[in-house]
Amino acid sequence: MKKTVIIGVLLFIATTTVYWKSIPHSFNTIYENRRFFDSDGEFIVRQYREGKIFTHNDHLLYHILGKAVQQHSGAIPSLKGDMVRSHKALSVVAGGLGVVLFYLIGLSMTSRHVPAVLGALFAGGCAGWWFFSSTIDTYLPCVLASSAALGAAILVIKKPSLQASAALGALVGLAFLLRSDSVLLAVLGLSLLSRRENILPRIGVAAAAAIVVGVVGYFVLAHTCYGVAWGDVPQWALGALQRPEASQKQLWGLAKNLSRHNVVKVLVNHICYTAVFPQLPTTHWTNIAKAYSPPGIAVLSFYAVVMFAAGGYALSRIRSGIRDRNWAVLILSVTVFLWVAIRILFYSWWEPRDPFLFATMTIPAIWLMLMLGVQQAYLVHEGSRASEWGIPVALFLLTSLVWIHNLRLLVIPLRDFA
């Protein structure tokens, strides 16, 4: 336990330090920088300074937390009461806590510290995670809550109980308060079907917790923090449908957005670009070979090999589970697949023009597929040199290459625009 705590603290200190220093704070104050993935850092800063609440209905709790941190940040030396630093701190802390969370879940899956640490650092070095942990936006606090919900789903599958089911529902509700598109987390409800014992009470408890935290919590926050009348909350919550991009320009939420080109573009971002970044102007490209530099192709290829190997091991575990009528791994693997597939379809429909923005939401699923493969590889090769050396070495190479590559092609270039 002591070792786990020490490693967790060190991971948090190391990653938050890197995220805080990676991209200068001023990056979030320059309007022209919105051309990078249409990220909202500058927009959030400007709206806050002007006292406007446009879009707050979609990220309700995020903006409430941002204001609270800013108002109480005078006593924190690194924040100095500055609203840019305060809002960036939300991303930085969420990014660091997410890495620690991945480590703890990975440790529970593999019972080994080294692969758990390396898997967590891999996720923390993915391009989407690194960028949104280092800049102002609504994503990382939400992805942290979503990752915690994923951890609760794993716990529900492993040791189903009313408490774990309640935690799952509450965390889904929390993620919804941070970003309303977290309704997509409903797929985690599949975890409640892994065991027959007390299935209806567990479903009921999870649904009740999600409603109390997500729906009732939304009403309370909207009314108390924004002065929205109780009866007007549902209409206010659907404000995204009234944005110019959706109502006037007819760009968002259209059936025609689900074109083959858009779906492929969003898929490539969710599977490839959010992990191994291409060159700066190329996240809209569907041609992977042209989007990457030759060294980038090499890193992407190694990433693909490791993920395919992980998928192969997970598939072997599924086959044996079906044979033994153990549905846990099957349900977890289906959850991973649906987590990715639903988001690709949803964001292709809603806003396919800036596909890198939303792709960071898929990183928890990519990490989980990697760890499912690692877990099964240890079971298959237990006690062998392949398990004791091969798996850690592969994870170390993958993590190192991803961090170095994304530093060179994402972080360092963006620093020049700050």
PDB file of all heavy atoms in Angstrom, residues 9 43 69 113 178 203 259 263 283 329 343 377 393 412:
ATOM      1  N   VAL A   9       1.791   9.378  -5.973  1.00  0.00           N
ATOM      2  CA  VAL A   9       2.178  10.766  -5.707  1.00  0.00           C
ATOM      3  C   VAL A   9       3.249  11.223  -6.691  1.00  0.00           C
ATOM      4  O   VAL A   9       3.188  12.343  -7.231  1.00  0.00           O
ATOM      5  CB  VAL A   9       2.663  10.922  -4.252  1.00  0.00           C
ATOM      6  CG1 VAL A   9       3.299  12.296  -4.042  1.00  0.00           C
ATOM      7  CG2 VAL A   9       1.508  10.714  -3.277  1.00  0.00           C
ATOM      8  N   PHE A  43     -11.528  31.184 -26.197  1.00  0.00           N
ATOM      9  CA  PHE A  43     -12.951  31.499 -26.097  1.00  0.00           C
ATOM     10  C   PHE A  43     -13.404  31.508 -24.639  1.00  0.00           C
ATOM     11  O   PHE A  43     -14.113  32.419 -24.196  1.00  0.00           O
ATOM     12  CB  PHE A  43     -13.761  30.478 -26.898  1.00  0.00           C
ATOM     13  CG  PHE A  43     -15.247  30.678 -26.827  1.00  0.00           C
ATOM     14  CD1 PHE A  43     -15.860  31.664 -27.574  1.00  0.00           C
ATOM     15  CD2 PHE A  43     -16.025  29.879 -26.012  1.00  0.00           C
ATOM     16  CE1 PHE A  43     -17.236  31.853 -27.519  1.00  0.00           C
ATOM     17  CE2 PHE A  43     -17.397  30.059 -25.942  1.00  0.00           C
ATOM     18  CZ  PHE A  43     -18.005  31.050 -26.695  1.00  0.00           C
ATOM     19  N   VAL A  69     -12.346  28.185  -8.486  1.00  0.00           N
ATOM     20  CA  VAL A  69     -10.889  28.138  -8.354  1.00  0.00           C
ATOM     21  C   VAL A  69     -10.307  29.530  -8.505  1.00  0.00           C
ATOM     22  O   VAL A  69      -9.429  29.943  -7.731  1.00  0.00           O
ATOM     23  CB  VAL A  69     -10.280  27.176  -9.393  1.00  0.00           C
ATOM     24  CG1 VAL A  69      -8.752  27.271  -9.376  1.00  0.00           C
ATOM     25  CG2 VAL A  69     -10.707  25.741  -9.115  1.00  0.00           C
ATOM     26  N   HIS A 113       3.395  -3.424 -10.672  1.00  0.00           N
ATOM     27  CA  HIS A 113       3.567  -1.971 -10.691  1.00  0.00           C
ATOM     28  C   HIS A 113       4.126  -1.461 -12.014  1.00  0.00           C
ATOM     29  O   HIS A 113       3.671  -0.431 -12.519  1.00  0.00           O
ATOM     30  CB  HIS A 113       4.485  -1.534  -9.549  1.00  0.00           C
ATOM     31  CG  HIS A 113       3.871  -1.673  -8.197  1.00  0.00           C
ATOM     32  ND1 HIS A 113       2.945  -0.774  -7.694  1.00  0.00           N
ATOM     33  CD2 HIS A 113       4.036  -2.619  -7.227  1.00  0.00           C
ATOM     34  CE1 HIS A 113       2.576  -1.143  -6.481  1.00  0.00           C
ATOM     35  NE2 HIS A 113       3.219  -2.259  -6.166  1.00  0.00           N
ATOM     36  N   LEU A 178     -20.113  17.755 -16.121  1.00  0.00           N
ATOM     37  CA  LEU A 178     -18.922  18.408 -16.661  1.00  0.00           C
ATOM     38  C   LEU A 178     -19.032  18.624 -18.166  1.00  0.00           C
ATOM     39  O   LEU A 178     -18.561  19.632 -18.692  1.00  0.00           O
ATOM     40  CB  LEU A 178     -17.677  17.579 -16.336  1.00  0.00           C
ATOM     41  CG  LEU A 178     -17.277  17.615 -14.860  1.00  0.00           C
ATOM     42  CD1 LEU A 178     -16.353  16.452 -14.522  1.00  0.00           C
ATOM     43  CD2 LEU A 178     -16.617  18.944 -14.507  1.00  0.00           C
ATOM     44  N   ILE A 203     -29.115  -2.469 -11.095  1.00  0.00           N
ATOM     45  CA  ILE A 203     -29.497  -1.553 -12.173  1.00  0.00           C
ATOM     46  C   ILE A 203     -30.265  -0.364 -11.602  1.00  0.00           C
ATOM     47  O   ILE A 203     -30.036   0.794 -11.980  1.00  0.00           O
ATOM     48  CB  ILE A 203     -30.343  -2.289 -13.236  1.00  0.00           C
ATOM     49  CG1 ILE A 203     -29.480  -3.306 -13.988  1.00  0.00           C
ATOM     50  CG2 ILE A 203     -30.962  -1.293 -14.214  1.00  0.00           C
ATOM     51  CD1 ILE A 203     -30.257  -4.164 -14.973  1.00  0.00           C
ATOM     52  N   SER A 259     -21.231  11.146 -43.531  1.00  0.00           N
ATOM     53  CA  SER A 259     -20.693  10.692 -44.809  1.00  0.00           C
ATOM     54  C   SER A 259     -19.496   9.780 -44.570  1.00  0.00           C
ATOM     55  O   SER A 259     -18.886   9.790 -43.490  1.00  0.00           O
ATOM     56  CB  SER A 259     -20.265  11.884 -45.663  1.00  0.00           C
ATOM     57  OG  SER A 259     -19.179  12.569 -45.054  1.00  0.00           O
ATOM     58  N   VAL A 263     -16.809  10.148 -41.394  1.00  0.00           N
ATOM     59  CA  VAL A 263     -16.657   9.042 -40.440  1.00  0.00           C
ATOM     60  C   VAL A 263     -15.217   8.546 -40.424  1.00  0.00           C
ATOM     61  O   VAL A 263     -14.638   8.298 -39.356  1.00  0.00           O
ATOM     62  CB  VAL A 263     -17.629   7.890 -40.766  1.00  0.00           C
ATOM     63  CG1 VAL A 263     -17.324   6.666 -39.899  1.00  0.00           C
ATOM     64  CG2 VAL A 263     -19.074   8.329 -40.545  1.00  0.00           C
ATOM     65  N   THR A 283      -4.591  17.101 -39.080  1.00  0.00           N
ATOM     66  CA  THR A 283      -5.588  16.296 -38.359  1.00  0.00           C
ATOM     67  C   THR A 283      -6.908  16.194 -39.115  1.00  0.00           C
ATOM     68  O   THR A 283      -7.779  15.409 -38.738  1.00  0.00           O
ATOM     69  CB  THR A 283      -5.860  16.886 -36.958  1.00  0.00           C
ATOM     70  OG1 THR A 283      -6.233  18.259 -37.075  1.00  0.00           O
ATOM     71  CG2 THR A 283      -4.633  16.751 -36.071  1.00  0.00           C
ATOM     72  N   VAL A 329     -15.051 -10.734 -19.328  1.00  0.00           N
ATOM     73  CA  VAL A 329     -14.121 -10.139 -20.297  1.00  0.00           C
ATOM     74  C   VAL A 329     -14.837  -9.797 -21.591  1.00  0.00           C
ATOM     75  O   VAL A 329     -14.546  -8.780 -22.228  1.00  0.00           O
ATOM     76  CB  VAL A 329     -12.936 -11.090 -20.563  1.00  0.00           C
ATOM     77  CG1 VAL A 329     -12.010 -10.499 -21.622  1.00  0.00           C
ATOM     78  CG2 VAL A 329     -12.160 -11.338 -19.286  1.00  0.00           C
ATOM     79  N   ARG A 343     -18.813   6.993 -30.013  1.00  0.00           N
ATOM     80  CA  ARG A 343     -18.242   8.336 -30.086  1.00  0.00           C
ATOM     81  C   ARG A 343     -17.879   8.727 -31.508  1.00  0.00           C
ATOM     82  O   ARG A 343     -18.060   9.881 -31.912  1.00  0.00           O
ATOM     83  CB  ARG A 343     -17.019   8.429 -29.169  1.00  0.00           C
ATOM     84  CG  ARG A 343     -17.419   8.636 -27.713  1.00  0.00           C
ATOM     85  CD  ARG A 343     -16.307   8.354 -26.733  1.00  0.00           C
ATOM     86  NE  ARG A 343     -16.761   8.665 -25.380  1.00  0.00           N
ATOM     87  CZ  ARG A 343     -17.597   7.899 -24.680  1.00  0.00           C
ATOM     88  NH1 ARG A 343     -18.041   6.765 -25.218  1.00  0.00           N
ATOM     89  NH2 ARG A 343     -17.990   8.252 -23.477  1.00  0.00           N
ATOM     90  N   ALA A 377      -1.723 -11.392 -21.546  1.00  0.00           N
ATOM     91  CA  ALA A 377      -0.378 -11.840 -21.904  1.00  0.00           C
ATOM     92  C   ALA A 377       0.349 -12.393 -20.681  1.00  0.00           C
ATOM     93  O   ALA A 377       1.071 -13.399 -20.769  1.00  0.00           O
ATOM     94  CB  ALA A 377       0.407 -10.684 -22.525  1.00  0.00           C
ATOM     95  N   VAL A 393       9.315  -4.314 -21.561  1.00  0.00           N
ATOM     96  CA  VAL A 393      10.142  -3.660 -22.580  1.00  0.00           C
ATOM     97  C   VAL A 393       9.267  -3.084 -23.683  1.00  0.00           C
ATOM     98  O   VAL A 393       9.471  -1.946 -24.137  1.00  0.00           O
ATOM     99  CB  VAL A 393      11.173  -4.652 -23.156  1.00  0.00           C
ATOM    100  CG1 VAL A 393      11.820  -4.078 -24.417  1.00  0.00           C
ATOM    101  CG2 VAL A 393      12.239  -4.963 -22.116  1.00  0.00           C
ATOM    102  N   ILE A 412       6.354  21.124 -28.759  1.00  0.00           N
ATOM    103  CA  ILE A 412       7.362  22.130 -29.126  1.00  0.00           C
ATOM    104  C   ILE A 412       6.849  23.074 -30.219  1.00  0.00           C
ATOM    105  O   ILE A 412       7.012  24.297 -30.100  1.00  0.00           O
ATOM    106  CB  ILE A 412       8.680  21.437 -29.534  1.00  0.00           C
ATOM    107  CG1 ILE A 412       9.333  20.794 -28.308  1.00  0.00           C
ATOM    108  CG2 ILE A 412       9.627  22.444 -30.189  1.00  0.00           C
ATOM    109  CD1 ILE A 412      10.607  20.042 -28.613  1.00  0.00           C
TER     110      ILE A 412
END
